[in-house]
Amino acid sequence: MCESMDDVTQAVLAKNDGLAASLRDDLTGRGVTVVNLLSSPGSGKTELLGRVLARAVERGVPVAALTADLATENDAHRLARSGAPVKQLLTDGLCHLEARQLRGHVESWLPADTSLLFVENVGNLVCPASYDLGESLRIVLMAVTEGEDKPLKYPTAFGSAQLVVLTKTDLAEAAGFDESAFLAHVQRVNPGVEVLRSCARGGEGVDTVLERVLAVRDGAPLHRPPLAPHPHRHDDAASGLAAGRVS
């Protein structure tokens, strides 16, 4: 009997989950905390990450970053200005990162003394949300220019976040952004998750993001989202959240 597409998808995700769990164990044993950053294109993710990296370097934190894109090394060049070790990962058209890709770069490149590794995932709130990378912390970012209903449109991404960061807050008034509605939508799909505000160019939120990450590195308890990326949960549960069927 031929396998259905759903069977194939589940098998791919299960294989990825196994690799991610192994990678998480290995990195934890080495004292490395991995932060997986997810967002749409244009959210300001690279700008904020660059500021966070620079602040970490200033404080003497052994930090590094991997940045993923379908093409170009533009983001790696921007992030390298922080002074942190940075590596570009080109996905050759793949719309997300997988644990096997991260493992290859960790084994061949990651500096030995690294305690924080930021992974800037491909700009996409769909595919990357389903793939555990072996991260310790998953952060989902969204710009005020994207509209306050994004959490309801992308419940898998927001429902798997352990921290949410609202970016480009200086543009909220011009964009007509309803922050109260946004916060309510976030809590609907991920009750109890913390939401931070940031304006990277003005410096707002940079230190707070770094402090939250350092706290996780140092053993602070993590928020437990309803769609935790490990163990893997699938989109039927996310659809239930978006419809208000999952408490």
Side-chain angles (χ1 to χ4, degrees), residues 57-81:
V57 170
E58 289 172 8
R59 293 176 55 172
V61 177
V63 64
L66 276 168
T67 180
D69 267 314
L70 277 68
T72 82
E73 296 192 358
N74 295 347
D75 286 353
H77 295 315
R78 290 176 61 190
L79 294 177
R81 297 172 194 156

Side-chain angles (χ1 to χ4, degrees), residues 9 13 30 47 56 60 78 80 85 93 101 119 123 130 133 136 142 145 160 173 180 204 211 220 227 243:
T9 300
L13 290 172
R30 292 169 52 179
E47 180 72 21
R78 290 176 61 190
Q101 296 167 302
V119 179
S130 295
L133 298 183
S136 305
M142 193 201 89
T145 51
S160 65
E173 184 176 353
S180 296
E204 179 189 2
E211 289 299 334
L227 298 181

Side-chain angles (χ1 to χ4, degrees), residues 113-211:
D113 66 341
T114 304
S115 69
L116 282 182
L117 173 61
F118 286 90
V119 179
E120 185 181 21
N121 218 313
V122 180
N124 182 345
L125 282 176
V126 182
C127 304
S130 295
Y131 285 82
D132 180 7
L133 298 183
E135 67 260 30
S136 305
L137 176 65
R138 176 174 290 200
I139 301 178
V140 173
L141 303 92
M142 193 201 89
V144 298
T145 51
E146 297 179 64
E148 55 274 354
D149 61 346
K150 272 290 189 296
L152 301 182
K153 289 184 175 181
Y154 300 96
T156 302
F158 284 89
S160 65
Q162 290 154 314
L163 181 67
V164 174
V165 178
L166 181 65
T167 64
K168 302 186 180 181
T169 54
D170 57 322
L171 300 178
E173 184 176 353
F177 183 72
D178 187 339
E179 187 167 341
S180 296
F182 167 73
L183 294 173
H185 296 331
V186 170
Q187 294 304 315
R188 181 175 174 182
V189 299
N190 194 342
V193 70
E194 182 180 15
V195 179
L196 302 180
R197 303 176 85 256
S198 77
C199 173
R201 289 186 174 178
E204 179 189 2
V206 173
D207 286 315
T208 307
V209 171
L210 180 57
E211 289 299 334

